[in-house]
Amino acid sequence: MKIKHIVLTACSLLLATGLFAASKPAEPRYVLVIHGGAGTILKKNMSPAMEAAYKAALKQALEAGYAQLKAGKPSMDAVEAAVRVMEDSPLFNAGKGAVFTHDGRNELDAAVMDGRTLAAGSVAGVTTIRNPVGAARAVMEKSQHVLMVGKGAETFAKEIGLPVVDPKYFWTEDRWKGLQKVIKADSIKVQLDHDQKASTLKGTENRDYKFGTVGAVALDTKGNLAAATSTGGMTNKKYGRVGDAPIIGAGTYANNATAAVSCTGWGEFFIRSAVAHDVSAMMEYKGYPVEKAAAAAIDKVGKLGGDGGLIALDKKGHMAMPFNTAGMYRGAITDQGKIEIKIYKE
Amino acid sequence: MKIKHIVLTACSLLLATGLFAASKPAEPRYVLVIHGGAGTILKKNMSPAMEAAYKAALKQALEAGYAQLKAGKPSMDAVEAAVRVMEDSPLFNAGKGAVFTHDGRNELDAAVMDGRTLAAGSVAGVTTIRNPVGAARAVMEKSQHVLMVGKGAETFAKEIGLPVVDPKYFWTEDRWKGLQKVIKADSIKVQLDHDQKASTLKGTENRDYKFGTVGAVALDTKGNLAAATSTGGMTNKKYGRVGDAPIIGAGTYANNATAAVSCTGWGEFFIRSAVAHDVSAMMEYKGYPVEKAAAAAIDKVGKLGGDGGLIALDKKGHMAMPFNTAGMYRGAITDQGKIEIKIYKE
């Protein structure tokens, strides 16, 4: 009896000190997570060539961000580098490849946030700034403001020497065709729909055309988190509409005490739920792990009638990528450089 | 012993059922709380006539909102009515009386949110809409969007028939003089300040000129909460800067499960802290009463280096009006019509 007791005590001690746990495979520590937008992305509608192109672009974005982290650069450098790759790719609804407004323009929004200082910057409704994510960062670092919109933001970007382009730079044939399709669908919808209020509020006609917002969250070697989001908004949007991407707390948030978050989806619902800040708040105030907080936040968006997804990364390298759409272009890389890329539901 | 025991038990029962509490005066049930901005408002700088004018305008705003509630109208009608009075008064930095941008324009922002449905609407950077709060409500009720900015928002307002004015309508001599004063102070500051980065980021030169944002939170007879905020932003602002007022979750938030919140102050810090949503989150996730959550949120703003205040009202008619500036124009009215108006710290 006595020996059994000693053995049991020894076992308990070993378990408590975690020596037995060493035999378990080590949990991956993610340092960069990206998304290229959530929406009705179905395998049956995707050619193998298109799928390969998306995967290659996501890989390139992950590698660009990871290179910054490997070099010991701040997480802000990593998220900016990753988002720039996706802004420059015509595959995503951000920068080149942005969707068109009703007036046939490309109006771009972007935001960044630093989890260490809670510093943040964003731009909305800009049409001449080549990389909106860079402008958002400049607003954070080189002005006393957080949000600049329209012509004012463009003037600021030009004054501080950011690359400015002709609005034609953002034109792509695919997105132009997308606009024509949505304009047609919307006009048919208005003719058919007798309950105009419901139609206006629900706006379902745009759901399938708005995926493509891009975002990144990163954790650097000093343990600091950062988030960035960039988008062309919603196809056929009117009246200077701005979605959640440039709204700190809605589409973008980062706090070292909790997580870095970037959202994609039907922006109006993400604003109303303050999704990115809500993930942070549930972690801080309810003690939720990042996965649970992220899932709960997307769940609330769904209950309101909206759809989309988000990426979130905490200080320990735990990440979450929940979405309630058919798919979300997404990828992650560990501190060891191991890459995971996914498109559809699993 | 037995008798003593019976007496004690009876006393405990009485206490538990609250019969003894009836002798305490009933707690006031607030139904409408308003603010006219927080800032360096000191009694020594205020003439008795000016003080009386502010108090009269706040009273008028409270009465306008209260009349809606008394008539059984929704809390959204009450907050809109109260904010309209303050937008129409040249005393406050919203609507007529808005401060000037660096370019000598009046760029207005406003937001509303419905606590029952979490529906929300806002406009930013508009220059021709007489009552921005009405435009924010129209965005919520008559479009599928939440946030519209600049010319687009103005086109929308015009199309749905909202009163549009010449930008000159917003011009007031006081604010024009304020702009000249700030431009002069800013240029002196730039000459004196060797640490330009700190100067740009801190922007202290504007602190004393930005009070005046207005807001209202209300509770209607059906138990629904609503919030509204309206502002002319920051004197001498540049580059299409937008503050927290039109940002759902930052300057404005309402949720029947928690509280309706409207903020005023140095907008950049309120955006970075997602103040209005944070009040709601601390109530929902930590079980804080409204007073504690509101105080904690303003405390966080202060720790970041910002200043300002907020008003918050919960479903039971409990309210809070914390601020970390010298003063905040504020007022509240109970369901019995009892009015309280204050300006300075107590």
Side-chain angles (χ1 to χ4, degrees):
Chain A
M1 279 299 275
K2 208 173 177 184
I3 289 168
K4 194 177 159 195
H5 180 71
I6 289 166
V7 169
L8 279 172
T9 307
C11 284
S12 304
L13 278 171
L14 281 169
L15 277 168
T17 52
L19 286 177
F20 274 14
S23 60
K24 253 180 56 184
E27 227 179 303
R29 186 174 175 273
Y30 294 94
V31 291
L32 176 66
V33 186
I34 62 171
H35 70 77
T40 313
I41 310 163
L42 296 167
K43 203 172 173 67
K44 63 175 185 185
N45 300 331
M46 184 85 82
S47 70
M50 192 53 101
E51 193 175 304
Y54 272 107
K55 286 185 171 173
L58 290 168
K59 185 165 176 275
Q60 196 194 334
L62 283 171
E63 284 168 349
Y66 185 70
Q68 298 293 321
L69 296 171
K70 264 291 185 199
K73 297 282 177 66
S75 47
M76 182 56 67
D77 288 355
V79 294
E80 186 186 349
V83 167
R84 273 177 184 271
V85 169
M86 294 185 281
E87 282 181 343
D88 292 344
S89 161
L91 292 172
F92 305 100
N93 175 17
K96 185 161 183 72
V99 300
F100 285 91
T101 67
H102 183 74
D103 301 329
R105 289 151 52 92
N106 302 106
E107 285 179 3
L108 313 169
D109 310 328
V112 298
M113 187 156 181
D114 182 327
R116 187 177 64 85
T117 58
L118 299 184
S122 58
V123 293
V126 298
T127 61
T128 60
I129 302 169
R130 185 186 159 122
N131 286 102
V133 71
R137 186 171 177 176
V139 169
M140 176 178 81
E141 293 177 347
K142 295 178 178 166
S143 87
Q144 59 179 298
H145 299 318
V146 169
L147 171 57
M148 293 184 186
V149 302
K151 287 262 170 278
E154 291 172 2
T155 304
F156 170 76
K158 210 172 167 180
E159 277 181 21
I160 61 163
L162 294 186
V164 162
V165 292
D166 187 288
K168 273 184 226 145
Y169 163 80
F170 299 107
W171 193 95
T172 58
E173 196 178 349
D174 258 18
R175 300 299 189 183
W176 185 254
K177 282 183 185 162
L179 172 65
Q180 310 314 318
K181 211 166 150 183
V182 176
I183 286 177
K184 202 176 158 192
D186 281 7
S187 68
I188 289 168
K189 195 166 166 57
V190 169
Q191 286 165 36
L192 291 177
D193 204 323
H194 295 287
D195 182 358
Q196 213 183 337
K197 197 182 166 194
S199 148
T200 317
L201 290 174
K202 292 213 80 177
T204 41
E205 71 277 12
N206 275 330
R207 288 228 255 179
D208 291 356
Y209 301 99
K210 73 188 160 46
F211 52 85
T213 295
V214 308
V217 289
L219 170 64
D220 61 30
T221 49
K222 289 188 175 142
N224 293 317
L225 293 166
T229 313
S230 182
T231 188
M234 195 180 259
T235 302
N236 200 25
K237 69 185 176 187
K238 283 162 114 175
Y239 305 125
R241 176 260 188 189
V242 172
D244 63 318
I247 306 297
I248 300 301
T252 308
Y253 206 75
N255 186 339
N256 271 4
T258 53
V261 184
S262 171
C263 303
T264 166
W266 197 349
E268 277 70 11
F269 292 91
F270 281 72
I271 295 177
R272 291 166 55 195
S273 296
V275 172
H277 182 262
D278 203 32
V279 171
S280 173
M282 284 189 272
M283 292 177 70
E284 187 172 353
Y285 305 141
K286 295 187 93 171
Y288 276 16
V290 67
E291 299 84 349
K292 193 175 174 184
I298 289 299
D299 215 44
K300 286 191 205 176
V301 169
K303 277 180 187 147
L304 272 184
D307 57 3
L310 65 82
I311 52 172
L313 181 65
D314 76 10
K315 203 166 182 158
K316 291 183 176 163
H318 299 137
M319 65 98 170
M321 312 193 283
F323 56 96
N324 65 0
T325 48
M328 178 165 85
Y329 300 107
R330 61 202 189 277
I333 188 164
T334 69
D335 54 359
Q336 300 301 310
K338 191 173 166 276
I339 286 179
E340 293 169 23
I341 290 172
K342 290 170 187 171
I343 299 179
Y344 316 106
K345 270 208 173 118
E346 303 225 290
Chain B
M1 278 299 275
K2 208 171 176 186
I3 289 168
K4 193 178 160 193
H5 181 72
I6 290 166
V7 171
L8 280 172
T9 308
C11 283
S12 305
L13 278 170
L14 281 168
L15 278 167
T17 52
L19 286 177
F20 274 13
S23 61
K24 255 180 53 184
E27 225 180 304
R29 187 174 175 271
Y30 294 94
V31 291
L32 176 66
V33 186
I34 62 171
H35 69 77
T40 313
I41 310 163
L42 296 166
K43 203 172 174 66
K44 62 176 185 184
N45 300 332
M46 184 86 82
S47 70
M50 192 53 99
E51 192 175 304
Y54 273 107
K55 286 187 172 173
L58 290 168
K59 185 165 176 277
Q60 197 194 336
L62 283 171
E63 284 168 348
Y66 186 70
Q68 298 293 321
L69 296 170
K70 264 293 187 200
K73 297 282 179 63
S75 47
M76 183 55 68
D77 288 355
V79 293
E80 186 186 348
V83 167
R84 273 176 183 271
V85 169
M86 293 185 280
E87 283 181 343
D88 292 344
S89 161
L91 292 172
F92 305 101
N93 176 16
K96 186 163 183 73
V99 299
F100 285 91
T101 66
H102 183 73
D103 301 328
R105 290 150 52 91
N106 303 106
E107 286 179 1
L108 314 168
D109 310 329
V112 297
M113 187 155 181
D114 182 326
R116 186 177 64 84
T117 58
L118 300 184
S122 58
V123 293
V126 298
T127 62
T128 60
I129 301 170
R130 185 184 160 124
N131 287 101
V133 70
R137 185 171 178 178
V139 170
M140 175 179 81
E141 293 177 346
K142 295 177 179 166
S143 87
Q144 60 180 296
H145 299 318
V146 168
L147 171 57
M148 293 184 186
V149 303
K151 285 262 171 278
E154 291 173 0
T155 305
F156 170 76
K158 210 171 169 182
E159 278 182 22
I160 60 163
L162 294 186
V164 163
V165 292
D166 186 288
K168 273 183 226 146
Y169 163 80
F170 299 107
W171 193 95
T172 59
E173 196 178 347
D174 260 18
R175 300 300 189 184
W176 184 255
K177 283 183 184 161
L179 173 64
Q180 310 314 319
K181 212 167 150 182
V182 176
I183 286 177
K184 201 176 157 192
D186 281 6
S187 68
I188 290 169
K189 195 166 165 57
V190 169
Q191 286 165 37
L192 291 177
D193 204 325
H194 296 287
D195 182 359
Q196 213 183 337
K197 197 181 168 193
S199 148
T200 319
L201 289 175
K202 291 213 82 175
T204 42
E205 72 277 11
N206 275 330
R207 288 228 255 179
D208 291 357
Y209 301 99
K210 72 188 160 47
F211 52 84
T213 295
V214 307
V217 289
L219 170 65
D220 62 30
T221 50
K222 289 187 176 143
N224 293 317
L225 293 165
T229 313
S230 181
T231 188
M234 197 179 256
T235 301
N236 200 25
K237 70 184 176 187
K238 283 163 116 174
Y239 306 126
R241 176 259 188 188
V242 173
D244 63 317
I247 307 298
I248 300 301
T252 308
Y253 206 75
N255 185 340
N256 271 4
T258 53
V261 184
S262 171
C263 303
T264 166
W266 198 349
E268 278 70 11
F269 291 90
F270 282 73
I271 295 177
R272 290 166 56 194
S273 297
V275 173
H277 183 261
D278 203 32
V279 172
S280 173
M282 285 189 271
M283 292 177 69
E284 187 173 353
Y285 304 141
K286 295 187 94 170
Y288 276 16
V290 67
E291 299 84 350
K292 193 174 173 183
I298 290 299
D299 214 44
K300 286 191 205 176
V301 169
K303 277 180 186 147
L304 272 184
D307 57 1
L310 65 82
I311 51 171
L313 181 65
D314 76 9
K315 204 166 181 159
K316 290 182 175 163
H318 299 137
M319 64 97 169
M321 311 193 284
F323 56 96
N324 65 0
T325 48
M328 179 166 84
Y329 300 107
R330 60 203 191 276
I333 188 164
T334 68
D335 54 358
Q336 299 302 308
K338 192 174 166 274
I339 285 179
E340 294 169 23
I341 290 173
K342 290 170 188 170
I343 298 179
Y344 316 106
K345 269 208 175 120
E346 303 225 291

